[in-house]
Amino acid sequence: MAKKCLLVLVLAALVSTGAFAQLSAGGGLLIGGDLGGGIDTTVPGHGSVFKETNTNFGFGVYGFFDAKYVEASIAFWYGFGENEYTGAYVKETTGDVTNDTETASFNFSLLGKFPFVINKSFTIFPALGIEYQLVTSMKFKSGGASFEADSPGDFSALWTRLGVGLDYSLNDKMFLRFTALYGVRFLPTKYEMDKLDFTESIIDFYDTPGSSAETFPGHGPQIKAAVGFKF
């Protein structure tokens, strides 16, 4: 559903702005990732008994199409990170566990932007938009062993991104674009929602009223650098 909504927004934005806006397209590199989302289970008197935190950071390539007030883009991203389990229950059963991870995804983004022309060379623009991260591969590595998730799409996520960009004109047709964004994924992934079911057994283990389990949002930066061409 999230992918369909993003596609509709992209098409609507391009149809509504393409008729009267300066069009451009280009591509470049990006870096960014998730500084930590996951789930946490707390039990009165014990505090956090089961906490799973997922972090990653990586790089990729992307292409964009720009209609002055709207930028639509698609990127391929590859990241490295950690899948970490901590908490009282974890210590009592297995001890803290940390797995290395490798993630590959296609990211579909739509940014609304409002450009301010500084002079003939520089234009800056605040930007706000959404990005759907479609995870196509998720690998876990621990103790020399590795395995790949059977359903990598369960790790896919919808992000909200806010930031600022800068265009530097090289000539009438060619420009450089730099964009710095910070994102938050407010909605949990399917993987995180499935893990919440597992935490019910942990709550039963302690059999303490007032226990709770919840997801917490991921967040992280994204920086892009690209070359663009005006039509």
Side-chain angles (χ1 to χ4, degrees):
M1 179 62 71
K3 289 182 285 185
K4 292 180 180 179
C5 290
L6 181 57
L7 179 59
V8 171
L9 287 173
V10 171
L11 293 175
L14 295 181
V15 169
S16 63
T17 61
F20 60 85
Q22 171 69 58
L23 303 180
S24 62
L29 304 175
L30 66 87
I31 60 172
D34 190 340
L35 299 183
I39 64 174
D40 192 13
T41 304
T42 59
V43 173
H46 297 274
S48 178
V49 296
F50 179 85
K51 184 176 183 179
E52 179 178 352
T53 305
N54 297 296
T55 61
N56 57 60
F57 202 84
F59 55 90
V61 295
Y62 84 106
F64 71 87
F65 181 83
D66 188 286
K68 189 175 181 179
Y69 297 109
V70 178
E71 179 196 272
S73 69
I74 181 172
F76 175 76
W77 176 88
Y78 201 91
F80 303 86
E82 291 184 341
N83 169 243
E84 184 178 27
Y85 298 92
T86 58
Y89 176 81
V90 177
K91 293 182 184 298
E92 293 175 21
T93 53
T94 62
D96 291 350
V97 176
T98 299
N99 302 313
D100 294 327
T101 62
E102 294 183 18
T103 310
S105 69
F106 285 97
N107 297 7
F108 303 89
S109 174
L110 180 66
L111 287 178
K113 48 195 279 286
F114 195 86
F116 294 91
V117 178
I118 305 303
N119 54 43
K120 65 178 183 179
S121 297
F122 290 97
T123 299
I124 63 172
F125 55 88
L128 172 66
I130 57 175
E131 178 176 289
Y132 184 72
Q133 181 182 20
L134 176 63
V135 176
T136 57
S137 175
M138 171 64 78
K139 298 178 181 179
F140 297 89
K141 298 181 179 181
S142 180
S146 65
F147 68 93
E148 188 163 352
D150 293 331
S151 302
D154 290 352
F155 297 86
S156 299
L158 182 66
W159 291 78
T160 299
R161 297 200 183 274
L162 172 67
V164 64
L166 169 69
D167 287 346
Y168 175 70
S169 296
L170 299 175
N171 52 49
D172 291 341
K173 294 294 184 180
M174 188 175 179
F175 63 94
L176 301 178
R177 171 164 295 178
F178 304 96
T179 311
L181 304 168
Y182 203 87
V184 178
R185 53 177 188 86
F186 295 102
L187 299 177
T189 64
K190 185 179 184 302
Y191 171 82
E192 290 168 340
M193 292 301 296
D194 289 344
K195 256 320 176 47
L196 282 179
D197 295 335
F198 168 74
T199 62
E200 292 181 358
S201 64
I202 299 175
I203 291 175
D204 292 340
F205 175 85
Y206 284 93
D207 192 24
T208 303
S211 301
S212 64
E214 61 183 0
T215 62
F216 52 94
H219 62 96
Q222 185 182 82
I223 300 175
K224 299 179 177 180
V227 177
F229 301 88
K230 301 176 183 178
F231 299 151

